[in-house]
């Protein structure tokens, strides 16, 4: 793999590599990148992987090379502290902070600021993950005055950009990379400096991330955030008036009237009735736009042209543009949809096909892009990935895992369970999981395709076993993982965010149970639109889109189990469609060559049980 990466960098070619677990793929791309004498961006799927590369892998390579390496990492602006906001908050704690909990959190941040070099939120181990105070003092662009700020020279964002400009290897994450790429396409300055090559680790995530940043999104919560920030600034800079407050309140009220028209049903739904909506609700639509326009004008009239009002004015105009694009654009390249989450109503426009975007803005512009992951191929082929991403002229390579999966892992499919679409599936699945956990003595991940199913099974299993049960959502992700690693016989119940990027080695994780084949929800608006596009192109959506996508996701979930040559364990899929339906062979052909059984007695023997 290292030779293939070196060749791609030298010859200015694109490369796709599936590198099985245990191949050492991070070394295989970092070493040739360092030796290439080019500026290389390494983009990862998660911030956790970013930190592993920078704080673990790079220091180890510095000892190998015998010299310091010019490497840095960059995260999105919301991960960094704003010195100006902390200074402003310190002068008016009572105005900015709500309750003693927020005051305590602010003082933790304030006391940490003088000693931090990076200003990175991840350094603050004693700040609650969901603390609302961080959002009030982070460095996101919406309230940044740039070079006009008194702290510009010692700003953590400025320091990050200077380190990047002086680095050969810059480690980012997919969200930052594509947010930056989208901003640059709109003629705004990005924050990532020019580069010669990009290496995408966990590249199977790219399509979804691109859809987020090359689409449009607007919500009622953004209007509330803008209103709060304007009034906070007005009080601090002493331009608060009753007139301004009335205008801000009218914007919030007009926004709520407008967004309430999209219903109260939780979840996602397609939106196709643009003309009908505009005909029926022109007054509410016009009222929301007019209120935002009045607010934008008022911000321009602030005496002394306060620098901080410029980004606020930009946000008001951006909200206007987002609402207008959602309702007035007739661009067939986008799917328009609404998502209701709690108090938030989100209007989304997502590109249906990202392949053209990636071809034009990335693959045709950057001499070398390297895509790697343990899960890119479907049945040994890369055609699905190439087509989805528009990377037609790439070299390809499959590097098999050095692990002996036949001996180390047993895949068990219980044939007596009903089809997972059956109403009684959860009850049968719970009983099977109880039997399996007794054989493994806990030490398991139970991974689900939906939150509802996870909670139903968790409650049922919890009444039958005595092992410590952990549930996703009850604590931060990293805390749950630390508890799982340190708690004997623990069982973790989780959904999609634990299907990838999680590494637990040794006997502590001896079983991974997956409830269903991870097909995307067919009624999801984006899935529907992309399926329709496949069909209109003469393809078969289920076979050409949904099955390959699910096969990659299943590989990711099962990939949590065997993380070293000494690991052993059982993989369980409770979905009998993999053996009952003809398409199941595609899943088997995509998975490593595990040992296989449909007999629970084989699972007993694997664990050496005498029960």
């Amino acid at each position: 793999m290292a030779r293939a990466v070196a060749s791609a960098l030298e010859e200015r070619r694109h490369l796709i590599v599936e590198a099985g677990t245990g191949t050492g793929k991070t070394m295989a791309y970092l070493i040739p990148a360092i030796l290439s004498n080019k500026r290389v961006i390494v983009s990862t799927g998660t911030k956790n992987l970013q930190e592993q590369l920078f704080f673990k892998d790079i220091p180890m390579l510095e000892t190998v090379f015998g010299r310091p390496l010019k490497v840095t990492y960059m995260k999105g602006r919301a991960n960094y502290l704003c010195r100006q906001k902390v200074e402003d908050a310190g002068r008016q704690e009572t105005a900015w902070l709500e309750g003693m909990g927020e005051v305590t959190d602010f003082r933790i941040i304030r006391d940490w600021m003088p000693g931090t070099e990076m200003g990175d939120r991840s350094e603050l181990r004693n700040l609650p993950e969901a603390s609302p105070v961080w959002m009030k003092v982070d460095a996101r662009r919406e309230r940044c005055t740039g070079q006009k700020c008194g702290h510009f020279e010692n700003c953590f964002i400025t320091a990050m950009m200077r380190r990047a400009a002086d680095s050969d290897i810059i480690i980012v994450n997919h969200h930052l990379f594509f947010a930056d790429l989208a901003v640059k396409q709109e003629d705004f300055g990005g924050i990532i400096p020019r580069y010669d090559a990009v290496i995408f680790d966990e590249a199977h995530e790219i399509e979804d991330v691109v859809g987020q940043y090359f689409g449009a999104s607007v919500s009622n919560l953004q209007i509330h955030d803008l209103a709060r920030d304007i009034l906070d600034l007005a009080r601090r800079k002493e331009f608060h008036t009753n007139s301004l407050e009335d205008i801000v309140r009218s914007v919030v009220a007009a926004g709520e009237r407008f967004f309430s028209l999209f219903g109260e049903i939780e979840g996602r739904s397609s939106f196709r009735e643009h003309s009908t909506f505009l005909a029926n609700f022109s007054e509410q639509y016009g009222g929301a736009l007019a209120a935002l326009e009045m607010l934008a004008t008022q911000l321009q009239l602030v005496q002394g042209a306060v620098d901080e009002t410029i980004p606020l004015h930009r946000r008001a105009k951006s909200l206007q543009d987002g609402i207008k694009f959602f309702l007035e654009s007739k661009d067939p390249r986008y799917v328009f949809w609404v998502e209701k989450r709690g108090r938030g109503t989100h209007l989304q426009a997502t590109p249906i096909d990202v392949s053209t975007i990636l071809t034009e803005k990335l693959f045709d512009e950057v001499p070398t892009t390297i895509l790697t992951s343990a899960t890119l191929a479907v049945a040994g082929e890369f055609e699905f990935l190439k087509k989805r991403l528009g990377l037609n002229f790439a070299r390809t390579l499959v590097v098999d895992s050095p692990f002996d999966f036949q001996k180390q892992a047993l895949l068990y499919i219980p044939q007596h369970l009903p089809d997972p679409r059956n109403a009684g599936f959860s009850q049968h699945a719970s009983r099977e999981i109880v039997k399996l956990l007794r054989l493994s003595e806990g030490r398991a991940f139970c991974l689900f395709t939906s939150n509802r199913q996870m909670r139903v099974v968790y409650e049922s299993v919890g009444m039958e076993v005595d092992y410590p049960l952990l549930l996703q959502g009850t604590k931060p992700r990293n805390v749950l993982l630390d508890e799982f690693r340190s708690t004997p016989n623990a069982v973790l119940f989780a959904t999609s965010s634990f299907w990838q990027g999680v590494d637990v080695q040794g006997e502590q994780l001896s079983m991974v149970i997956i409830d269903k084949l991870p097909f995307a929800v067919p009624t999801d608006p984006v899935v529907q639109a992309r399926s329709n596009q496949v069909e209109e192109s003469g393809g078969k959506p289920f076979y050409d889109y949904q099955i390959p996508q699910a096969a990659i996701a299943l590989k990711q979930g099962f990939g949590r189990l065997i993380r070293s040559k000494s690991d052993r364990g059982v993989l369980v899929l409770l979905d009998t469609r993999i053996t009952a339906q003809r398409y199941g062979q595609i899943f088997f052909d995509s998975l490593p060559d595990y040992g296989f059984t449909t007999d629970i007695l084989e699972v007993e023997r694997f664990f050496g049980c005498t029960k």
Side-chain angles (χ1 to χ4, degrees), residues 524-542:
D524 180 90
V526 178
V527 174
Q528 275 186 330
R530 289 175 176 167
S531 296
N532 291 341
Q533 184 190 55
V534 171
E535 189 168 26
E536 289 164 5
S537 303
K540 298 179 179 179
F542 187 61

Side-chain angles (χ1 to χ4, degrees), residues 85-103:
K85 289 180 184 176
V86 173
E87 184 178 297
D88 290 339
R91 285 197 294 264
Q92 292 183 315
E93 273 191 19
T94 54
W96 268 53
L97 305 170
E98 299 174 16
M100 283 307 299
E102 288 200 9
V103 171

Side-chain angles (χ1 to χ4, degrees), residues 429-446:
S430 298
R431 284 202 293 262
E432 191 71 18
I433 289 172
V434 168
K435 286 193 291 185
L436 290 163
L437 293 179
R438 286 172 178 161
L439 295 178
S440 66
E441 297 179 341
R443 304 182 298 161
F445 278 3
C446 296

Side-chain angles (χ1 to χ4, degrees), residues 90-362:
R91 285 197 294 264
Q92 292 183 315
E93 273 191 19
T94 54
W96 268 53
L97 305 170
E98 299 174 16
M100 283 307 299
E102 288 200 9
V103 171
T104 300
D105 288 354
F106 172 72
R107 289 172 181 172
I108 290 171
I109 295 168
R110 182 196 61 194
D111 294 344
W112 161 74
M113 185 172 73
T116 176
E117 179 184 354
M118 303 285 197
D120 186 345
R121 166 74 171 85
S122 66
E123 298 173 16
L124 272 171
R125 302 291 182 182
N126 57 339
L127 183 72
E129 185 173 15
S131 172
V133 177
W134 181 261
M135 286 187 62
K136 297 181 179 182
V137 294
D138 67 26
R140 68 189 69 207
R141 183 185 299 275
E142 287 89 340
R143 286 174 56 183
C144 179
T145 58
Q147 295 184 22
K148 295 179 180 180
C149 176
H151 288 283
F152 179 76
E153 288 302 319
N154 68 338
C155 169
F156 294 117
I157 300 295
T158 304
M160 176 184 72
M161 294 174 71
R162 285 172 178 160
R163 289 192 299 271
D166 192 42
S167 295
D168 300 321
I169 308 294
I170 302 171
I171 303 168
V172 302
N173 57 66
H174 298 340
H175 287 270
L176 176 60
F177 181 85
F178 288 109
D180 185 76
L181 190 66
V183 166
K184 285 175 178 171
Q185 302 305 320
E186 297 172 358
D187 296 324
F188 293 109
I191 65 170
I192 300 176
R194 292 181 63 84
Y195 44 85
D196 305 299
V198 188
I199 298 170
F200 293 102
D201 200 342
E202 304 294 346
H204 59 278
E205 298 179 20
I206 287 177
E207 181 178 14
D208 287 339
V209 178
V210 174
Q212 293 178 40
Y213 291 101
F214 284 86
S217 177
V218 63
S219 75
N220 62 324
L221 299 182
Q222 290 174 310
I223 291 178
H224 282 278
D225 289 344
L226 175 61
R228 183 197 64 228
D229 290 347
I230 290 171
L231 294 178
D232 281 347
L233 180 67
R235 293 184 184 103
R236 285 191 292 109
K237 296 298 182 179
E238 299 180 351
F239 63 85
H240 180 273
T241 63
N242 290 336
S243 174
L244 175 64
E245 184 147 354
D246 288 343
I247 292 171
V248 170
R249 293 188 190 284
S250 71
V251 169
V252 172
E256 285 303 320
R257 282 194 297 273
F258 170 71
F259 281 97
S260 69
L261 301 173
F262 294 92
E264 295 296 325
I265 299 174
E266 286 281 321
R268 297 179 169 193
S269 58
S270 295
F271 187 83
R272 301 186 182 93
E273 303 300 322
H274 297 75
S275 299
T276 303
F277 185 95
L278 289 171
N280 292 337
F281 304 114
S282 59
E283 182 181 342
Q284 294 91 331
Y285 172 57
L289 294 182
L292 285 165
E293 182 63 36
M294 184 186 300
L295 180 61
T297 301
Q298 186 70 21
L299 290 169
Q300 287 182 308
L301 297 176
V302 170
Q303 287 189 345
V306 178
D307 292 334
E308 288 95 325
T309 62
I310 296 171
L312 295 172
H313 175 270
R314 190 186 305 130
R315 284 166 65 186
K317 299 298 288 184
S318 178
L319 284 166
Q320 265 189 312
D321 293 343
I323 292 171
K324 289 178 72 174
F325 181 82
F326 182 84
L327 281 171
E328 297 184 27
S329 173
K330 298 178 181 178
D331 194 330
R333 296 173 300 175
Y334 290 84
V335 53
F336 296 88
W337 50 287
V338 179
E339 182 173 21
K340 176 71 178 158
R341 297 196 307 266
R343 296 185 302 106
T345 301
H346 306 261
L347 311 182
Q348 311 272 3
T350 302
I352 298 170
D353 179 5
V354 304
S355 63
T356 303
I357 295 170
L358 285 170
T359 298
E360 293 177 356
K361 303 187 185 304
L362 179 63

